[in-house]
């Protein structure tokens, strides 16, 4: 169970965004980004927040930029970070979703070769996820994008 207060706050703001308060959620996430130190903050918080902020963007280019930030900082996240925050996933389990989101961004932008490249990365890393609801969600997302890229 997640115990890190920043990650819990991000989760609450994400829920607001999904409940229709997208603009307010995006602005709150940008405030959190500044509060956690932006590019100099905790890597797990940065990765989680950038990943979530990408989903709140209306412009695919801005979405891509946030997803790229999330992927870049993911390399700094360790299993110790996830365990300390109460996240039940390994650091490696972050990658399938990060790659999936990048594949979707590139698909939206019409760069189908890059979309396929990132979908392949997602497929290569999916073994880090279990056969639970989250793993199924990511697998279904991968199938959806694969179908759209055909």
């Amino acid at each position: 169970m997640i115990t890190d207060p920043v990650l819990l706050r991000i989760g609450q703001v994400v829920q607001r965004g999904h409940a229709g308060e997208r603009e307010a959620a995006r602005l709150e996430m940008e405030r959190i980004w500044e509060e956690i130190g932006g590019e100099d903050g905790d890597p797990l918080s940065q990765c989680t927040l950038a990943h979530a902020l990408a989903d709140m963007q209306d412009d695919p280019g801005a979405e891509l930029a946030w997803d790229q930030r999330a992927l870049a900082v993911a390399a700094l996240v360790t299993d110790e970070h996830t365990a300390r925050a109460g996240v039940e996933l390994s650091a490696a389990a972050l990658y399938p979703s990060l790659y999936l989101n990048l594949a979707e961004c590139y698909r939206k932008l019409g760069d189908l070769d890059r979309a396929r490249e990132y979908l392949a990365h997602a497929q290569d890393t999916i073994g880090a996820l279990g056969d639970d609801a989250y793993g199924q969600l990511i697998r279904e997302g991968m199938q959806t994008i694969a179908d759209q890229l055909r």
Side-chain angles (χ1 to χ4, degrees):
M1 184 167 128
I2 296 174
T3 56
D4 181 85
V6 173
L7 296 184
L8 289 169
R9 186 170 165 208
I10 294 167
Q12 291 168 347
V13 177
V14 166
Q15 291 303 316
R16 285 181 52 206
H18 290 300
E21 298 179 48
R22 189 176 163 90
E23 180 65 14
R26 186 184 58 75
L27 293 172
E28 179 64 18
M29 285 184 204
E30 289 173 358
R31 281 191 288 279
I32 296 170
W33 182 259
E34 294 304 317
E35 289 172 20
I36 65 170
E39 303 287 338
D40 298 319
D42 169 71
L44 180 58
S45 296
Q46 285 179 327
C47 182
T48 303
L49 186 55
H51 193 47
L53 250 166
D55 291 340
M56 296 296 151
Q57 303 303 310
D58 294 324
D59 173 61
E63 181 180 358
L64 176 63
W66 281 108
D67 277 329
Q68 288 171 328
R69 280 186 186 114
L71 180 62
V73 76
L76 303 175
V77 177
T78 65
D79 289 343
E80 183 180 316
H81 287 112
T82 60
R84 187 173 46 233
V87 175
E88 296 178 6
L89 297 172
S90 68
L94 300 173
Y95 285 93
S97 181
L98 294 170
Y99 288 138
L100 178 62
N101 279 21
L102 282 161
E104 175 62 4
C105 283
Y106 283 115
R107 187 196 64 77
K108 287 179 189 176
L109 291 167
D111 189 342
L112 303 186
D113 288 338
R114 294 291 302 267
R116 287 183 186 96
E117 175 187 335
Y118 279 98
L119 179 59
H121 289 313
Q123 292 166 334
D124 290 344
T125 58
I126 194 68
L129 296 180
D131 192 23
D132 56 8
Y134 178 69
Q136 272 310 113
L137 177 71
I138 300 303
R139 285 178 181 87
E140 288 169 10
M142 288 170 49
Q143 186 59 55
T144 298
I145 292 178
D147 292 343
Q148 291 170 338
L149 290 172
R150 283 195 193 108

